[in-house]
Amino acid sequence: MSKKQRQYRGAEVSCCVKYSLFASNIFFWLLGAAFLAIGLWAWSEKGVLANLQAITDVRGFDPVWIFIVVGAVMFILGFAGCIGALRENTSLLKFFSVFLGLIFFLELATGVLAFVFKDWIKEQLNIFLNNNLKAYRDDIDLQNLIDFAQKYFSCCGAHGPNDWNLNIYFNCTDKNRSRERCGVPFSCCVKDPAEDVLNRQCGYDVRRNKEQDWRDHIYTKGCVAQFEKWLQDNLIIIAGVFVGIALLQIFGICLAQNLVSDVKAIKANW
């Protein structure tokens, strides 16, 4: 056996690395495709795909963007990692590791900047929340997201129930002829254990009463304060999740780079 043949037989791709990378990425590839499909389906249901100008019509945040952006990123990364590992394609593997590394450093930079500019971010968050309260009735997905947040965090408005004066349907001005005038959405209501059927009119006229009487009917704390409290109470779990995600990203990069090195070692012996 020649020296060159012995070198070729000594260099081989690690099956463990190859199929570990393939198995993990095929899951994220399929999950990304599912997220993307859900996002596009939601857009089609709202007529956005038939009228692309509708993307700019909603003044608040469209939750469908979460599914589309996350799904697209997961689909692209999963495809590159899955096919790159299966076909031992160094170009796709390099793209996968560089893209994943870029996301990791963006997450790291975002965390540092969020700590340094926390006051500015809090101000922007308040503006963002107020804009979404204004657009509560403009998009059904946004409406469901706000209702979920208010029920989950037992809160009402960004800083309190009076924030709903920003919405044209709930404000207390004399010009407002809406039946919901001086009210709040049903998701602000304190649930009555005796009620089996959800009362969607429970928030009607509640802010016509004195503020000290609100507590018996609706949540009086704002969602910003309740969310901050939730973060403090679950800080260890949240930190653990972020550390786990970071470790998975680093592990994926290491697998991809290891596989690239193995493939290059084989090609060098050709």
Side-chain angles (χ1 to χ4, degrees):
M1 183 182 293
S2 66
K3 181 179 180 181
K4 186 175 182 179
Q5 287 175 319
R6 287 197 301 269
Q7 287 176 337
Y8 178 78
R9 291 189 63 183
E12 60 181 15
V13 172
S14 171
C15 290
C16 180
V17 171
K18 177 178 177 177
Y19 290 107
S20 294
L21 189 61
F22 170 77
S24 60
N25 278 284
I26 197 169
F27 170 76
F28 286 108
W29 187 13
L30 295 174
L31 190 61
F35 269 60
L36 198 55
I38 291 171
L40 294 175
W41 170 79
W43 261 11
S44 68
E45 287 292 303
K46 293 189 287 188
V48 174
L49 296 181
N51 177 22
L52 293 179
Q53 189 178 353
I55 295 174
T56 60
D57 288 345
V58 180
R59 292 172 295 168
F61 172 70
D62 189 346
V64 175
W65 277 107
I66 297 175
F67 287 91
I68 291 176
V69 172
V70 172
V73 170
M74 290 177 67
F75 182 83
I76 293 169
L77 275 177
F79 173 82
C82 183
I83 303 302
L86 189 63
R87 304 296 298 174
E88 298 176 9
N89 187 306
T90 55
S91 297
L92 284 175
L93 289 171
K94 287 178 182 178
F95 171 80
F96 170 80
S97 57
V98 170
F99 199 0
L100 196 58
L102 180 62
I103 292 174
F104 173 77
F105 283 111
L106 283 174
E107 291 169 348
L108 190 63
T110 301
V112 173
L113 291 174
F115 178 78
V116 175
F117 299 102
K118 56 185 177 182
D119 293 332
W120 179 84
I121 290 174
K122 192 171 182 178
E123 180 182 349
Q124 295 303 310
L125 179 61
N126 289 333
I127 296 172
F128 173 78
L129 290 173
N130 289 337
N131 287 336
N132 284 291
L133 291 181
K134 292 177 185 177
Y136 176 75
R137 292 294 191 202
D138 296 347
D139 183 88
I140 186 63
D141 293 317
L142 174 63
Q143 182 176 314
N144 290 334
L145 181 63
I146 292 174
D147 286 335
F148 169 78
Q150 291 190 144
K151 286 189 288 186
Y152 183 81
F153 294 111
S154 301
C155 59
C156 188
H159 299 284
N162 279 329
D163 287 341
W164 284 103
N165 280 327
L166 296 169
N167 189 280
I168 60 173
Y169 299 100
F170 296 100
N171 69 57
C172 282
T173 59
D174 294 334
K175 294 180 180 179
N176 184 11
R177 300 302 178 188
S178 169
R179 178 62 189 86
E180 295 177 307
R181 178 175 179 265
C182 286
V184 291
F186 74 95
S187 53
C188 285
C189 296
V190 176
K191 183 174 174 56
D192 186 352
E195 288 185 351
D196 294 329
V197 180
L198 179 64
N199 180 11
R200 290 183 172 268
Q201 298 180 357
C202 58
Y204 283 16
D205 302 323
V206 69
R207 288 189 295 118
R208 293 179 186 270
N209 303 322
K210 295 180 181 180
E211 290 192 19
Q212 54 265 35
D213 298 330
W214 293 357
R215 193 177 301 275
D216 297 331
H217 305 285
I218 62 172
Y219 303 120
T220 55
K221 293 182 179 179
C223 290
V224 173
Q226 290 293 86
F227 180 66
E228 288 176 348
K229 181 179 180 298
W230 180 84
L231 285 177
Q232 292 174 356
D233 293 341
N234 298 276
L235 188 60
I236 296 176
I237 296 174
I238 295 168
V241 169
F242 278 103
V243 170
I245 292 172
L247 290 175
L248 283 174
Q249 291 173 325
I250 294 171
F251 182 66
I253 293 170
C254 291
L255 285 178
Q257 289 299 317
N258 195 315
L259 191 54
V260 168
S261 299
D262 287 349
V263 173
K264 284 184 175 179
I266 292 175
K267 288 182 177 180
N269 291 318
W270 288 357

